[in-house]
């Protein structure tokens, strides 16, 4: 069997929105004030605790200078097991460019409490920073750094593209801001958001996205529920349990032309590993130049695509510059 060389797809760099970086560092953080904190899961009985938290950054250089796709650093008070101040943890901005207030003064993020049984002691394990953030009350002060990240933002000429956003869990945060920006700009682009969670109760900002989809014909919101059959919001009952990549099949009539279009950009954010299922599905559904718009690999790797792993990325599986990824453990 002949094999194509695994050279990177010859695609052009996409100019991204300029993003300011590291206006505040851990040694001299900005002080912000919590203005809102609320559960943002769809149901009260969600498996995890996830909060939408807003901060007033008035009086700091962060005002109007942090854009969707960037993260802020949060410094939890106290010291770690070595007696050193806690290291900063990153949280993606959930707010649009103008902030929650339209003036760039109120930034927001989406935080999931890290709660588990300790691997070694089997006592309760509480993540330091996520629980600190979720415990904060309106009026409390918080130390922020950043913004950081400039490779997961929207393109400068945003109106020249269509968008396929894939999120799992709190990976939804950057897409909330991006969707709000794109829809507010009235740019003539198609925006599809696929949001994956185990149960329908875990969907984040579900009401807001449902409302936006009803109000904007160019915005599609497609939940994918992986552990629940016939979950209400995920669409027709015959779909059954869905992972985010399955939406490319269930909604192929709409999403295949989108994938084949040279305008489309794919953004993926959430749990590390989610990207492989998406790439496998794209490699199954597309071929030839359609596929090479996103992925290039050789015939042998292609044949074994059911076993693709993250370690193969950039070596055996080359991604084009039309795929943007931010995944974390
Ligand atoms: C670019 C980026 C953006 C991010 N955006 C977001 C976001 O928008 N929202 C969000 O919620 N998170 C986000 N995160 C993750 C976030 O930064 C933190 O990693 C997360 O909140 C956990 O931090 P923590 O301080 O609560 O937990 P930590 O105290 O740091 O505990 C987690 C660490 O403890 C260890 N650990 C985990 N489970 C156990 C266990 N059962 N027993 C023993 N040890 C364990 C692991 O080594 C793990 O790294 C992002 C990360 C990155 C890199």
């Amino acid at each position: 069997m002949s094999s194509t060389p695994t050279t990177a797809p010859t695609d052009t760099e996409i100019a991204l929105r300029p993003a300011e970086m590291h206006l505040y560092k851990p040694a001299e953080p900005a002080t912000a004030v919590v203005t809102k904190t609320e559960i943002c899961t769809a149901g009260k009985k969600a498996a995890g605790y996830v909060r939408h938290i807003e901060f007033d950054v008035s009086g700091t250089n962060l005002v109007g200078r942090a854009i969707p796709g960037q993260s802020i650093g949060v410094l939890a008070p106290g010291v770690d097991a070595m007696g050193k101040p806690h290291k900063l943890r990153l949280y993606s901005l959930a707010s649009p460019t103008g902030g929650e207030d339209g003036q760039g003064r109120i930034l927001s993020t989406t935080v999931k409490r890290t709660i588990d049984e300790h691997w070694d002691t089997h006592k309760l394990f509480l993540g330091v920073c996520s629980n600190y953030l979720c415990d904060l009350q309106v009026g409390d002060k918080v130390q922020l750094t950043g913004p950081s990240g400039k490779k997961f933002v929207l393109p400068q000429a945003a109106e020249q593209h269509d968008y396929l956003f894939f999120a799992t869990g709190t990976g939804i945060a950057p897409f909330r801001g991006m969707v709000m920006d794109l829809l507010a700009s009235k740019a003539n682009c198609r925006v599809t958001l696929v949001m994956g969670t185990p149960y329908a109760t875990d969907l984040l900002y579900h009401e807001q996205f449902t409302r936006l989809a009803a109000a904007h014909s160019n915005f599609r919101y497609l939940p994918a529920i992986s552990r629940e059959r016939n979950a209400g919001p995920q669409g027709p009952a015959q779909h059954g349990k869905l992972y985010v990549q399955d939406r490319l099949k269930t909604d192929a009539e709409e999403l295949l032309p989108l994938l084949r279009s040279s305008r489309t950009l794919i953004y993926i954010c959430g749990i590390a590993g989610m990207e492989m299922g998406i790439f496998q599905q794209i490699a199954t559904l597309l071929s030839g130049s359609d596929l090479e718009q996103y992925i290039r690999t050789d015939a042998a790797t292609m044949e074994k695509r059911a076993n693709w792993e993250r370690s193969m990325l950039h070596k055996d599986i080359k991604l084009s510059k039309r795929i943007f990824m931010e995944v974390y453990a």
Side-chain angles (χ1 to χ4, degrees), residues 71 89-93 109-114 116-120 125-131 170-171 173-174 326-329:
S71 304
R89 267 69 160 184
L90 293 175
Y91 293 90
S92 301
L93 287 168
T109 185
T110 318
V111 185
K112 176 170 186 188
R113 286 184 187 269
T114 298
D116 208 341
E117 211 176 58
H118 197 288
W119 294 324
D120 305 322
F125 175 85
L126 294 176
V128 170
C129 198
S130 58
N131 286 288
T170 55
E326 183 143 286
V327 291
Y328 46 85

Side-chain angles (χ1 to χ4, degrees), residues 41-63:
T41 41
K44 285 206 169 122
K45 290 195 174 163
Y49 302 98
V50 187
R51 287 194 160 260
H52 171 79
I53 305 176
E54 298 187 357
F55 309 101
D56 187 347
V57 296
S58 295
T60 76
N61 289 332
L62 291 172
V63 174

Side-chain angles (χ1 to χ4, degrees), residues 12-309:
T12 44
E13 198 78 50
I14 288 155
L16 298 179
R17 292 185 63 185
E20 297 205 67
M21 298 277 283
H22 310 308
L23 297 170
Y24 289 94
K25 297 190 177 148
E28 279 182 88
T31 301
V33 179
V34 175
T35 53
K36 191 189 228 183
T37 169
E38 61 187 20
I39 291 281
C40 58
T41 41
K44 285 206 169 122
K45 290 195 174 163
Y49 302 98
V50 187
R51 287 194 160 260
H52 171 79
I53 305 176
E54 298 187 357
F55 309 101
D56 187 347
V57 296
S58 295
T60 76
N61 289 332
L62 291 172
V63 174
R65 294 170 76 181
I67 62 175
Q70 288 194 290
S71 304
I72 45 167
V74 176
L75 295 167
V79 293
D80 62 19
M82 311 296 286
K84 298 207 165 140
H86 287 301
K87 291 204 172 68
L88 71 85
R89 267 69 160 184
L90 293 175
Y91 293 90
S92 301
L93 287 168
S95 37
T97 300
E100 300 292 338
D101 58 334
Q103 311 286 316
R105 294 176 193 282
I106 309 288
L107 303 182
S108 68
T109 185
T110 318
V111 185
K112 176 170 186 188
R113 286 184 187 269
T114 298
I115 302 175
D116 208 341
E117 211 176 58
H118 197 288
W119 294 324
D120 305 322
T121 64
H122 67 81
K123 288 190 173 165
L124 181 66
F125 175 85
L126 294 176
V128 170
C129 198
S130 58
N131 286 288
Y132 158 70
L133 273 174
C134 289
D135 284 350
L136 288 174
Q137 307 288 325
V138 169
D140 285 347
K141 290 187 176 151
V142 58
Q143 306 288 302
L144 302 182
T145 69
S148 63
K150 55 184 178 184
K151 295 189 174 158
F152 194 73
V153 297
L154 287 173
Q156 205 156 20
E159 72 290 350
Q160 290 179 7
H161 296 279
D162 295 317
Y163 300 88
L164 197 37
F165 295 144
F166 290 98
T168 52
T170 55
I172 196 71
F175 299 138
R176 178 177 178 270
M178 288 181 189
V179 166
M180 288 165 84
D181 272 0
L182 288 166
L183 298 182
S185 75
K186 308 231 185 307
N188 191 21
C189 44
R190 288 177 292 170
V191 183
T192 301
L193 171 65
V194 184
M195 164 84 201
T197 53
Y199 300 98
T201 48
D202 305 328
L203 288 167
L204 302 175
Y205 303 113
H206 178 66
E207 262 180 41
Q208 181 178 7
F209 290 125
T210 305
R211 224 177 24 245
L212 286 171
H216 298 268
S217 58
N218 60 330
F219 174 52
R220 286 275 277 143
Y221 167 55
L222 300 173
I225 312 298
S226 60
R227 292 196 203 154
E228 210 175 352
R229 203 167 281 281
N230 304 339
Q234 74 169 325
Q238 70 267 24
H239 287 337
K241 299 178 185 176
L242 296 181
Y243 289 100
V244 282
Q245 63 268 21
D246 296 328
R247 276 295 187 183
L248 295 173
K249 271 201 313 196
T250 58
D251 294 70
E253 204 174 310
E254 188 175 338
L255 299 188
L256 272 186
L258 194 65
L259 273 180
R260 292 195 178 111
S261 157
S262 60
R263 283 173 53 95
T264 301
L265 303 180
I266 296 178
Y267 285 68
I268 301 169
C269 189
I271 303 156
M274 67 176 285
E275 69 275 29
M276 298 316 295
I278 297 169
F279 300 151
Q280 286 163 329
Q281 189 70 277
I282 290 174
T284 303
L285 294 172
L286 299 184
S287 59
S289 58
D290 287 338
L291 176 59
E292 288 182 6
Q293 293 195 98
Y294 305 102
I295 296 169
R296 186 171 292 182
T297 184
D298 61 28
T301 310
M302 187 69 171
E303 212 153 88
K304 288 191 226 141
R305 67 181 172 278
N307 302 318
W308 281 2
E309 288 174 7

